[in-house]
Amino acid sequence: MRIAGVTRELPDVFTWVLEPPAPFVFSPGQFNMLYAHGAGEVPISISGPPGELVHTIRAVGAVTRVMQRMTAGDPIGVRGPYGTAWPLDELRGKDVIVVAGGLGLAPLRPAILELLGRRDDFGAVTVAYGARSPEEILYRDEVRAWRARFDVDVEVTVDRAGRDWHGPVGVVTRLVAAASLDPKRTVALVCGPEIMMRFVLRELEARGVGADRVWLSLERSMKCGVGLCGHCQLGGRFVCKDGPVYRADRVAPLLYVREL
Amino acid sequence: MENLERFLREHPLLRGLPTEHIASLVGCVANRRFEPGDFLLFEGQRDGQIFLIREGTVAIESASPGGPPSTIETVGPGDVLGVSWLTPAREHFDCRARERVVALVIDQSCLRAKMEGDPRLGYALASRLLQLTYERLSRLRLQRMDLYR
């Protein structure tokens, strides 16, 4: 497969649009194993709408730093799609709050696009997004476009800001605490650093949204992508095969086990 | 007075308090508006009031010499500012209205006298303020971890 286009999102984050030789079918929440020839393979969530193969990648390791230097036309190996998906069909008729932190917005983007694309299938839709600073808001133009819609409530908070930022400053859990939601009708989709997700889970529970109505996308060191190598083992589960999207009550106790 | 009682009852800090407690607080409270840019509290201020925010957002800021202020956190409806007046700490950052803010302003010495004079009221308020303070501490700890790096 080849890279059809590259967008520099942030200094260390870039988005690839790939050109599959045949239609590539996936569900929001799934991931691919991307292989940079001569460098190695990494698991990256799919971050585009149905029909478009898009990946947003942070350059943090040897492989992703090589990927950051690649340009349109370069070949890339793709295995997938793998893993479980956001349960969008189960959410039909319910209010949905999407909670994302940092790069956690990338695996949630296909779900948000589908929620907005099938807007009549769902009740109230809220997106709560936390970024490090105003400069580090991912998909800035698109988030701005979502905020301009009348049928979705989008709130963005940042951890630090100067006076030129007019939005909220503070952690994303504050947005959950302040969100207008009916706990009986609400389900949540959450992705971000695991510590953030634990705090979000507690805040949602305090708002009356139990862990059986929350889905999380977990990140572990995935290598084979098919549940054989054991690198991503989480208790008795393999995140690459049984996850990365889990209903929170099924994994919540494991999130508090140190070094797991 | 009736309005003030209603505003007090409706504020999350005081929601569910017995009627007699709310009635006893009314004499310490005024409903005030602040325009964008007004300061509710200053860092280093030696005396001040407690603010129960009803509308609008307030930036908690700190400025370094010659530089622009950094916003530490923004707070909004349902939040409380100036809690430390009730403790020996009496420490604040700058608290600046970012938009029009409406707040119930509580005279801290009056409130302290009410809390000391009626231990049931004192305990109820101290418990709620402790919870609020702990929640804020917890948020700041999370923020300080810089998770999105």
Side-chain angles (χ1 to χ4, degrees):
Chain A
M1 212 175 282
R2 290 196 180 273
I3 301 168
V6 180
T7 307
R8 303 289 162 195
E9 306 280 359
L10 305 173
D12 60 343
V13 176
F14 55 97
T15 294
W16 280 350
V17 178
L18 301 183
E19 210 169 51
F24 191 92
V25 180
F26 66 91
S27 298
Q30 291 190 296
F31 68 95
N32 280 326
M33 297 299 299
L34 300 185
Y35 178 70
H37 299 283
E41 194 180 46
V42 285
I44 304 287
S45 59
I46 302 170
S47 50
E52 282 182 41
L53 189 50
V54 175
H55 289 283
T56 295
I57 304 163
R58 169 168 277 158
V60 286
V63 178
T64 48
R65 284 198 190 98
V66 168
M67 288 176 164
Q68 191 179 26
R69 293 194 292 272
M70 294 171 72
T71 57
D74 285 347
I76 185 84
V78 178
R79 287 197 292 130
Y82 293 128
T84 52
W86 301 110
L88 294 170
D89 286 329
E90 281 181 50
L91 310 187
R92 202 181 284 255
K94 300 193 167 86
D95 295 350
V96 184
I97 179 167
V98 177
V99 187
L103 203 60
L105 187 58
L108 281 165
R109 180 170 174 255
I112 295 169
L113 294 173
E114 188 142 342
L115 289 168
L116 299 181
R118 293 164 45 194
R119 189 63 195 83
D120 292 342
D121 286 355
F122 307 97
V125 175
T126 304
V127 177
Y129 175 48
R132 193 174 184 221
S133 69
E135 296 74 32
E136 289 167 270
I137 293 171
L138 193 60
Y139 310 135
R140 172 181 294 271
D141 292 341
E142 192 167 24
V143 170
R144 193 178 284 133
W146 296 341
R147 277 176 67 90
R149 290 176 60 135
F150 294 113
D151 57 356
V152 56
D153 188 12
V154 178
E155 292 293 337
V156 179
T157 186
V158 296
D159 278 356
R160 62 193 64 176
R163 268 206 183 170
D164 50 351
W165 168 253
H166 300 288
V169 179
V171 289
V172 74
T173 50
R174 291 229 79 190
L175 300 182
V176 177
S180 162
L181 55 85
D182 174 354
K184 291 190 193 76
R185 289 175 48 90
T186 300
V187 292
L189 310 179
V190 185
C191 188
E194 206 160 297
I195 298 172
M196 179 213 97
M197 292 200 287
R198 295 203 300 260
F199 277 80
V200 169
L201 264 180
R202 292 207 283 274
E203 192 64 57
L204 284 166
E205 195 170 3
R207 295 293 313 271
V209 182
D212 59 338
R213 281 177 292 139
V214 179
W215 279 263
L216 310 173
S217 180
L218 298 185
E219 192 176 312
R220 285 292 185 280
S221 170
M222 296 186 264
K223 295 287 183 195
C224 70
V226 290
L228 289 175
C229 73
H231 276 89
C232 62
Q233 189 163 353
L234 179 74
R237 301 163 191 275
F238 295 104
V239 175
C240 69
K241 186 167 71 69
D242 311 316
V245 176
Y246 290 98
R247 207 175 79 183
D249 59 328
R250 293 174 179 152
V251 289
L254 297 172
L255 302 183
Y256 296 93
V257 179
R258 284 182 169 222
E259 297 178 28
L260 189 61
Chain B
M1 281 296 194
E2 211 172 278
N3 271 349
L4 274 181
E5 274 200 41
R6 181 165 58 82
F7 294 156
L8 283 169
R9 269 200 312 274
E10 287 172 355
H11 195 278
L13 180 74
L14 306 176
R15 204 172 283 154
L17 273 188
T19 312
E20 66 269 23
H21 285 167
I22 296 288
S24 110
L25 293 175
V26 167
C28 302
V29 178
N31 190 44
R32 279 188 56 195
R33 280 175 197 277
F34 299 86
E35 296 304 321
D38 286 353
F39 282 82
L40 286 72
L41 289 166
F42 288 103
E43 188 175 341
Q45 189 178 343
R46 300 312 306 162
D47 198 11
Q49 294 146 320
I50 294 160
F51 302 87
L52 275 52
I53 312 293
R54 293 181 53 223
E55 294 171 24
T57 57
V58 178
I60 303 173
E61 297 178 337
S62 186
S64 43
S70 299
T71 306
I72 298 156
E73 193 180 27
T74 51
V75 298
D79 277 306
V80 181
L81 290 169
V83 177
S84 82
W85 294 130
L86 297 171
T87 74
R90 304 170 83 84
E91 287 290 341
H92 300 285
F93 288 100
D94 293 339
C95 297
R96 180 181 58 86
R98 292 173 115 197
E99 53 198 49
R100 176 170 284 193
V101 167
V102 181
L104 296 168
V105 180
I106 306 181
D107 179 275
Q108 51 101 355
S109 48
C110 176
L111 179 63
R112 190 193 293 260
K114 299 277 186 194
M115 289 171 73
E116 284 169 0
D118 180 349
R120 281 178 52 239
L121 170 65
Y123 177 75
L125 278 181
S127 306
R128 288 162 184 238
L129 290 169
L130 181 63
Q131 181 183 344
L132 181 138
T133 306
Y134 191 79
E135 285 169 357
R136 188 170 292 168
L137 174 65
S138 184
R139 290 198 305 268
L140 291 172
R141 282 172 169 164
L142 188 59
Q143 197 175 350
R144 189 174 169 272
M145 291 174 84
D146 201 8
L147 292 173
Y148 308 136
R149 224 176 353 174

